[in-house]
């Protein structure tokens, strides 16, 4: 599963990146709302390969909100008035939700889906490394990997 951060979406729009229709890139609900606004303001279409994570079979909305609350309390200093740091919490909660689903039986023997995150946000990368030390499941990509 490929998950985009805010700066990845900005990078896609600002650099006119054409994403492959073969891969699906997911964005959290709040980020998908932001994508719709960005597309409107920049007079561009949202690539078909970017989808809302709530449409994924690996996503559970109830588990996501439980994880969101836990992570929001763990990483205080978020500001809802200027939306500072909120997207980081969304990405962390989404990754945690998906990892639990991937690791919950029944799974096929030898089946392991990686969670790939596209970001260059240093603070988010630090939080991801702190939360998810299983490097076999969580892979962080530079934005240039979207090319």
């Amino acid at each position: 599963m490929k998950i985009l951060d805010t700066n990845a979406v900005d990078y896609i729009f600002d650099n006119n990146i054409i994403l492959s229709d073969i891969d699906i890139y997911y964005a959290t609900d709040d980020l998908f709302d932001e994508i719709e606004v960005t597309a409107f303001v920049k007079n561009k279409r949202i690539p078909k390969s970017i989808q809302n994570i709530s449409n994924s079979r690996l996503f559970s909305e109830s588990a996501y909100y439980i994880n969101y609350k836990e992570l929001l309390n763990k990483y205080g200093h978020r500001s809802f008035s200027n939306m500072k740091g909120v997207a980081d919490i969304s990405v962390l909660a989404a990754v945690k939700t998906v990892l639990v689903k991937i690791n919950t039986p029944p799974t096929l023997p030898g089946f392991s889906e990686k969670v790939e995150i596209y970001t260059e946000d240093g603070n988010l990368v630090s939080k991801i490394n702190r939360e998810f030390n299983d490097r076999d499941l969580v892979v962080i990509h530079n934005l240039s990997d979207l090319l």
Side-chain angles (χ1 to χ4, degrees):
M1 172 176 276
K2 300 172 188 303
I3 299 176
L4 300 173
D5 181 30
T6 305
N7 59 16
V9 173
D10 290 341
Y11 183 84
I12 290 166
F13 281 114
D14 291 345
N15 294 288
N16 297 315
I17 303 298
I18 298 172
L19 299 172
S20 165
D21 286 339
I22 295 171
D23 292 321
I24 297 174
Y25 298 86
Y26 290 99
T28 58
D29 285 341
D30 54 344
L31 178 54
F32 202 81
D33 292 342
E34 206 175 300
I35 292 169
E36 290 174 331
V37 171
T38 301
F40 178 77
V41 168
K42 295 183 183 233
N43 197 27
K44 296 188 178 186
R45 290 193 136 149
I46 300 171
K48 286 187 252 179
S49 55
I50 298 178
Q51 297 184 9
N52 193 319
I53 198 164
S54 61
N55 297 330
S56 169
R57 65 179 172 76
L58 295 175
F59 188 78
S60 163
E61 194 167 3
S62 58
Y64 169 78
Y65 285 118
I66 290 168
N67 292 329
Y68 188 92
K69 182 187 92 161
E70 174 193 313
L71 291 160
L72 187 62
N73 288 326
K74 183 175 184 177
Y75 296 101
H77 311 295
R78 305 298 109 208
S79 173
F80 286 99
S81 61
N82 64 11
M83 299 305 285
K84 181 176 175 25
V86 177
D88 289 5
I89 301 300
S90 295
V91 170
L92 290 170
V95 170
K96 187 170 184 177
T97 301
V98 169
L99 287 176
V100 167
K101 186 83 168 185
I102 288 171
N103 291 315
T104 301
T107 57
L108 298 173
F111 174 78
S112 176
E113 181 161 344
K114 288 187 180 198
V115 175
E116 301 177 31
I117 304 158
Y118 290 83
T119 186
E120 287 183 347
D121 178 339
N123 288 329
L124 177 57
V125 170
S126 295
K127 290 174 188 145
I128 291 167
N129 288 331
R130 239 186 335 258
E131 289 296 319
F132 314 108
N133 57 9
D134 187 354
R135 302 299 294 161
D136 292 332
L137 290 177
V138 179
V139 179
I140 301 166
H141 291 283
N142 292 323
L143 299 183
S144 59
D145 293 340
L146 288 166
L147 297 175

